[in-house]
Amino acid sequence: MRQMLIKPAAELRGTLKLPGDKSISHRSAMISSLAVGTTTIDNYAASADCSSTLSCLAELGVKFERAGAVVRIEGTGIRGFRAPSVPLDCGNSGTTMRLITGILAGQRFESTLVGDASLSKRPMRRVIGPMVAMGGTIDADDGHAPLRIHGNPGLKGFEHTLSIASAQIKSCILLAGLHAEGTTVVHEPTPTRDHTERMLKWFGAVVESENGAISINGGQTLAARDLSVPCDISAAAFFLVAAASLSGSDLKLVNVGLNPTRTGVIDVLIDLGVDLAILNEREVCNELVGDLTVRGRRGPLGSDANIVRGGIIANLIDEIPILAILGTQLEAGLEIRDAAELRVKESDRIRSVVDNLRRMGAEIEEFPDGFRVSRSKLTGARVDSFDDHRIAMAFAVAGLLAEGETEIIGAECVDVSFPGFFDTLQSAVSAS
Ligand code: S3P
């Protein structure tokens, strides 16, 4: 267990290039592995989760070389994976487990997916159900990992309406659809991140999206094609909130992914009155990218009732812990609703946020699907990461805004998405 001590800061300054996007990195590795030919991926996420994806692919016979953020993958083609000789370890990564399930359900071999203590508690029926409906067979005790997947090369395309707004479930079904006979259609009541659709198209697949229905035909061939991963907007969110809250800040984040299914956090910050600008917007490898500048507040932020709920929640689901910290700085506080999914993330993120913010003296009310945090003066305290990377990073920012020192217990979990997070944060504080 690593403890991290955070001291209050006055401002954040400088120009930062954050790690590659975690969601896009996972997809780039999986989909290039299914392509014919060799793909070079630039700015691949340094995160432990994305390393879990690569090691699972290696067990499936995919050859790759990794030098820093550059990964070169020799695709095997759609039917080129081989039976693994050991269980595939997805570590802490729900994206690895749920997306690879979609690929493995249609293979000719059996495989087992395992994960760490947190991942083994996360709900997997949401992907098992659709796979079974397509003709797959997956054994799992009580809907949890380990998942024993009895591959069936005869999967059939089907039509499915998502009952949970989840890009992981959608992606699992689309990847299974690529291996199935006929057409697979997923209906999304609320749009979720569409990186899988964009990545499949980058590799030449035909994927159609119309009025919330996404369809893919099985048996398509993917062609290798080099790509560059944008920097992670979910990592950027911690820096945006810290800089916006500390009055003298002037921070630039370059090359950040601005896919419209991920930018809810930017919309909310701008609505609250944060001085945030998007520069140099451009398209890179089917994804929108730009630079962000953010200045520290000059006056009160968020003076009107601030309620975030409904369709936008899927668009900023991973940013809610850091928005809770921002809530303590807003004149009218912040209420989050329709976010019960937070309870089945790497930790129960509603509980983790409520528990830690109370330790720091904040006034916060817990709801089954969210919380309401009031404007509060934060006091340094001993807080817990709950082994959840986004909780550790959110409370590092809380520590910058608090009076006195904040100690984060179990801080090493930041490696799951952002190794070097504390050094990067410190570099912007020292540049002040
Ligand atoms: C992800 C989708 C989201 C998100 C997760 C990454 C993805 O999960 O919370 O961090 O890469 O598809 P859900 O699909 O469970 O909402």
Side-chain angles (χ1 to χ4, degrees):
M1 272 286 201
R2 196 167 92 208
Q3 263 118 283
M4 190 56 72
L5 211 57
I6 307 287
K7 297 192 164 121
E11 56 191 31
L12 253 62
R13 285 188 168 264
T15 298
L16 299 176
K17 181 172 180 281
L18 301 176
D21 187 272
K22 186 157 85 72
S23 289
I24 299 177
S25 294
H26 283 300
R27 286 149 172 92
S28 70
M30 290 182 201
I31 296 172
S32 62
S33 295
L34 295 171
V36 176
T38 302
T39 294
T40 301
I41 306 165
D42 186 31
N43 205 31
Y44 190 81
S47 85
D49 273 9
C50 294
S51 297
S52 295
T53 286
L54 285 175
S55 54
C56 289
L57 292 167
E59 287 300 339
L60 291 162
V62 176
K63 296 205 169 55
F64 71 89
E65 284 166 24
R66 189 173 188 181
V70 178
V71 182
R72 219 166 146 259
I73 296 192
E74 279 178 42
T76 64
I78 293 282
R79 297 272 170 207
F81 286 5
R82 57 143 215 248
S85 54
V86 293
L88 304 175
D89 188 357
C90 303
N92 189 247
S93 176
T95 309
T96 307
M97 186 169 280
R98 295 195 178 116
L99 267 61
I100 285 197
T101 294
I103 298 175
L104 295 178
Q107 302 291 334
R108 292 179 193 286
F109 52 77
E110 299 203 350
S111 48
T112 301
L113 296 177
V114 296
D116 70 4
S118 149
L119 184 52
S120 305
K121 283 194 221 121
R122 295 181 66 187
M124 293 298 149
R125 281 207 181 97
R126 51 182 63 195
V127 287
I128 297 173
M131 293 305 96
V132 169
M134 293 177 84
T137 308
I138 301 179
D139 299 328
D141 275 349
D142 202 25
H144 295 112
L147 304 184
R148 279 170 293 276
I149 304 176
H150 308 278
N152 171 13
L155 292 187
K156 302 264 184 295
F158 84 137
E159 197 157 346
H160 181 76
T161 300
L162 294 179
S163 53
I164 305 166
S166 162
Q168 294 180 353
I169 307 176
K170 170 179 65 175
S171 302
C172 169
I173 297 171
L174 292 176
L175 290 169
L178 185 67
H179 290 78
E181 202 183 294
T183 306
T184 295
V185 185
V186 184
H187 296 274
E188 276 196 302
T190 314
T192 66
R193 62 192 73 192
D194 63 357
H195 305 303
T196 302
E197 296 91 304
R198 288 170 184 268
M199 188 66 69
L200 283 165
K201 287 185 199 161
W202 180 252
F203 285 91
V206 177
V207 182
E208 269 156 24
S209 306
E210 217 183 315
N211 302 326
I214 303 124
S215 47
I216 186 165
N217 285 335
Q220 303 188 53
T221 303
L222 306 177
R225 191 172 175 200
D226 293 349
L227 67 101
S228 178
V229 177
C231 299
D232 200 327
I233 188 170
S234 298
F238 299 103
F239 293 84
L240 295 176
V241 168
S245 307
L246 294 168
S247 58
S249 301
D250 191 355
L251 193 71
K252 184 172 187 183
L253 305 175
V254 297
N255 203 32
V256 179
L258 296 176
N259 180 314
T261 59
R262 294 281 298 281
T263 46
V265 65
I266 292 183
D267 300 339
V268 167
L269 292 178
I270 291 174
D271 271 2
L272 292 170
V274 171
D275 183 356
L276 195 166
I278 302 175
L279 314 169
N280 196 17
E281 225 175 323
R282 58 209 183 267
E283 199 174 297
V284 179
C285 308
N286 269 357
E287 289 283 353
L288 211 58
V289 171
D291 303 333
L292 301 177
T293 56
V294 59
R295 294 218 178 93
R297 56 147 137 217
R298 301 238 162 80
L301 289 178
S303 311
D304 298 333
N306 305 308
I307 305 181
V308 180
R309 67 185 316 163
I312 195 174
I313 290 292
N315 195 304
L316 47 66
I317 188 78
D318 292 337
E319 287 68 72
I320 292 174
I322 187 60
L323 285 175
I325 308 303
L326 180 67
T328 65
Q329 311 297 304
L330 301 175
E331 293 300 299
L334 179 67
E335 182 169 334
I336 301 279
R337 286 301 183 112
D338 301 323
E341 268 296 296
L342 288 177
R343 296 208 181 266
V344 290
K345 296 291 180 187
E346 286 83 328
S347 71
D348 173 344
R349 287 185 174 157
I350 296 177
R351 271 276 73 226
S352 307
V353 159
V354 168
D355 184 325
N356 279 342
L357 272 180
R358 283 190 181 144
R359 292 191 211 182
M360 295 185 78
E363 197 184 308
I364 182 165
E365 190 182 348
E366 178 174 355
F367 305 120
D369 63 342
F371 50 80
R372 184 190 306 123
V373 59
S374 306
R375 179 165 188 226
S376 312
K377 195 159 136 340
L378 296 177
T379 312
R382 219 164 175 237
V383 296
D384 200 326
S385 71
F386 297 96
D387 283 331
D388 182 335
H389 55 127
R390 298 204 196 278
I391 297 299
M393 294 188 279
F395 281 87
V397 173
L400 299 181
L401 310 182
E403 200 178 289
E405 286 182 349
T406 297
E407 193 181 356
I408 301 171
I409 311 295
E412 67 282 354
C413 63
V414 298
D415 291 357
V416 159
S417 66
F418 194 160
F421 168 78
F422 292 106
D423 291 342
T424 307
L425 190 62
Q426 192 53 48
S427 75
V429 170
S430 337
S432 304

